[in-house]
Structure formats: structure tokens, C-alpha cells
Amino acid sequence: MLHRRLTCLGDHDDAVAHLAALDFLGRMPVPLRQGFTAGLDQAAAVAGGRGICFVKGNEWYAPFEALARAEPMAAFPNMVLTPFTRDVLSVTFQKRLRAAGHAAATPRPTHPAAAGLIDPEGLFSVFAIIPWVFLIDNRKLGGRPVPRGWEDLLDPVYEDQIVFGGWKRPSDGTYPDCNDYLLLYLYHRFGAAGVRAFAGNTRAILHNTVASRFAGTNHPQGGAISIMPWMQADICPRRDRTAVVWPNDGALVMPMGFSVSSSQRARVQPLLDFVCGDACAAALARNRYPAVWADGPQPLPEGATLDWLGWDYTRTHDMTEETMIATRLFFAAWSRA
């Protein structure tokens, strides 16, 4: 059977039972979904069919939250693949995953630049990253220095010049979604004062594709500095007026990884072969969501480094609560909200 999506999770117990019957539960960034699901389809078909659920839209969090609320010894899908958003990084979700007998399953060597992404507890395998970089509008930057690292963004010289990802609800002007992963990262590195300083420099919160289109134009919401995934920065149509800057203290990355049932490894091996295969790695590289394999395509700029919240931090803090704190600090300080 092949499940495209869960249109309704329904009763919690039924939802958990349904999820546990799957071979694969996954989610990916929007630009990767079509190609990734096509590859999974092919892998499942060659293997004679596998139960697959690929989460989309408003179901992004629901199945993972249902699994986190499951009984301690409840079964999980045989393979879980996802960006490391706060629900997956929660202590509860990881406890449930371990109790279900899941573990890492990395069949290829990891690139040295991604060494800090290797899970020391062996629960997750990281296969790719979402890197955030700076897209600089050279005209709007004017005589200001080009920011080279994350701390530079806190300098008041960039007041009202920074744009980052999210969207505004037209009905009431609130922001139901924004890049709170970025805000959490800034809070982790620079504390409450750093988040407030960043808020003082923020001009607008825009969808990343919109910010990419605005960069290099006279649009009033465009800023001198846009923080966005490398893919959206790279497709900016006005590259004669803009420049992509890879932070010298490391691009902020959200790892993408998977965990596999140790007892069902053979059953999901065809899916693993696709995720860790050359074709998938090449597609990730083309779309600027690089695979981390040392023997695969390496589109990272020469000397590029990576940074993220880190395993020690994510396993000793409540990611949901920390994210809420960082977000509240930002919006309390941001006068344009």
C-alpha cells in the first residue's frame, strides 16, 4: 500500500496504530517533495510495495506529535525521515523512538564538514542539510560593511535592514509562522540581548521566495540583508545586484535525518538505498540542500563550515519551550509586529 498523506489522523489511539503500521513516515522541504516522493515510489515499487506516508501541508507536525504522545512502548513506523524540527528534537519523541527499537543506519562515510552532525547516541542518521546564508543587496547595503558572521547581524549599523522567513496573516496582521529555528539559534548563541538586537535590525518577515524576488529591487519591504535557505538565495533573479555570503562562523543548518527500526532494517533497505543513493545525493546538491556523504556531490563553497544547535543542547533543553522564549523575546522587541 502507498499512502500519500494522512488526510485525517482522527482518534489518537487509531492514529498511532495506523502510523505504527507504516514502513515509512517522512516530510521534506517543499522544493524537494516532488522529486523525493517520486524516488520513494520507485523504490517501493521495485521492492514490491511498502507502506509510505509523506506528510504535507497542515499535517506537518500532527503525526509526529501523535507518536510523541504514544505509550512508552508503542511501535513506530519502520523508518522515520524528517528535518530536525523542534518536535523531533523533543526529549519525549526521542525516548519513544528508542523504546521502539530505532537506531541510526548510515551506510556511507560522512563529509568532514558535517562531523558535528553525527549523532553521538546513534539514534539518527543525518543525510542532508538545510543551510541558511545571507543574501546581500549591494545597493541597499550602501556604505555599510558586508556582514560576515552571525554576530555581525546584531550591530545597530544594520537597523531596519534585515529580512528573514515567515508569513503574515492578512486578517489580523499576526505572524502565525516565522523562522523560529533562526530565532532559537540566535537565542542559544547570543542570549536575550542578542535576540532583541536582531529584532531592532529586522525590517520585514517575508516568505523566502518573496524575499528572494525583492532582493536587488526598490521594493520597500526588501532589505539589505536577507537570511534564507541557500536554495532561495541562489535562485535570486538579480544576481548582478546581489551576493550570497556564506557566514564565516558557519552557515546555520537544520539537519535532515532518519531513524530505522533495527528489527526491520531489511524490509526498509530499498528505501534506505534510495535516500542514501547517488541519484538522491545529486538531486539534493542541485537544489542546494547538500547531502553530507563524503563520497557524494559536494556543492559547498570551498572552506565552508556548518553550525547548528548541537546534540548536547537539543538533548538537555526543552526545544518547544526554548523556541517559545526566543520567539516571544523577538516579537516583544520588534516594533513592526
Side-chain angles (χ1 to χ4, degrees):
M1 60 180 177
L2 183 65
H3 295 269
R4 278 292 177 213
R5 57 182 298 180
L6 300 174
T7 55
C8 180
L9 285 173
D11 178 79
H12 173 70
D13 292 336
D14 290 343
V16 171
H18 177 64
L19 291 166
L22 293 169
D23 289 297
F24 177 95
L25 172 67
R27 57 187 176 184
M28 289 283 277
V30 172
L32 299 176
R33 285 179 189 167
Q34 184 174 355
F36 201 83
T37 52
L40 283 175
D41 282 355
Q42 185 176 9
V46 170
R50 292 292 185 270
I52 294 174
C53 173
F54 204 76
V55 183
K56 301 179 182 179
N58 61 4
E59 296 170 345
W60 181 262
Y61 288 108
F64 296 87
E65 291 172 346
L67 290 170
R69 297 194 304 269
E71 293 298 319
M73 297 305 292
F76 263 58
N78 292 329
M79 181 175 178
V80 176
L81 179 148
T82 174
F84 289 176
T85 49
R86 59 181 177 273
D87 53 348
V88 173
L89 292 173
S90 74
V91 173
T92 301
F93 186 88
Q94 293 187 49
K95 282 183 178 178
R96 297 288 191 271
L97 202 57
R98 289 190 191 93
H102 277 237
T106 304
R108 299 177 72 163
T110 303
H111 191 274
L117 306 179
I118 298 173
D119 182 358
E121 295 188 10
L123 181 61
F124 292 105
S125 295
V126 174
F127 71 97
I129 56 172
I130 307 171
W132 274 272
V133 298
F134 309 156
L135 179 63
I136 306 300
D137 184 321
N138 293 317
R139 294 191 305 173
K140 288 186 177 177
L141 192 66
R144 304 177 188 88
V146 175
R148 296 298 178 185
W150 294 99
E151 191 170 8
D152 293 343
L153 302 182
L154 313 184
D155 191 324
V157 72
Y158 301 117
E159 182 181 3
D160 198 35
Q161 291 302 320
I162 295 176
V163 174
F164 71 100
W167 66 277
K168 187 176 186 178
R169 183 183 288 119
S171 59
D172 60 10
T174 61
Y175 288 83
D177 182 49
C178 73
N179 187 357
D180 52 19
Y181 187 77
L182 168 64
L183 299 179
L184 177 59
Y185 174 74
L186 296 173
Y187 177 59
H188 169 52
R189 282 198 60 183
F190 307 115
V195 174
R196 294 189 186 101
F198 180 76
N201 289 346
T202 298
R203 182 180 189 83
I205 300 175
L206 300 172
H207 192 284
N208 291 315
T209 56
V210 174
S212 180
R213 290 200 308 269
F214 286 172
T217 74
N218 293 323
H219 196 284
Q221 286 191 293
I225 306 160
S226 297
I227 304 169
M228 61 181 64
W230 189 19
M231 177 193 182
Q232 281 84 5
D234 197 52
I235 63 173
C236 174
R238 296 172 183 84
R239 293 300 296 276
D240 57 324
R241 306 174 188 173
T242 61
V244 175
V245 173
W246 193 280
N248 58 16
D249 47 351
L252 167 61
V253 300
M254 178 181 284
M256 295 188 282
F258 54 81
S259 192
V260 174
S261 168
S262 299
S263 64
Q264 298 297 317
R265 168 74 181 265
R267 180 169 174 81
V268 299
Q269 189 62 50
L271 307 181
L272 273 172
D273 290 343
F274 162 69
V275 172
C276 302
D278 290 340
C280 183
L284 290 165
R286 286 194 303 272
N287 287 283
R288 298 295 188 255
Y289 294 93
V292 301
W293 313 128
D295 55 351
Q298 295 299 328
L300 297 179
E302 185 176 355
T305 57
L306 311 175
D307 196 20
W308 82 292
L309 295 168
W311 292 107
D312 288 344
Y313 179 75
T314 60
R315 285 184 167 143
T316 56
H317 293 76
D318 183 326
M319 290 294 95
T320 298
E321 179 61 26
E322 294 279 299
T323 300
M324 289 176 60
I325 291 171
T327 305
R328 283 197 299 263
L329 282 167
F330 174 84
F331 281 104
W334 191 42
S335 61
R336 298 158 193 81

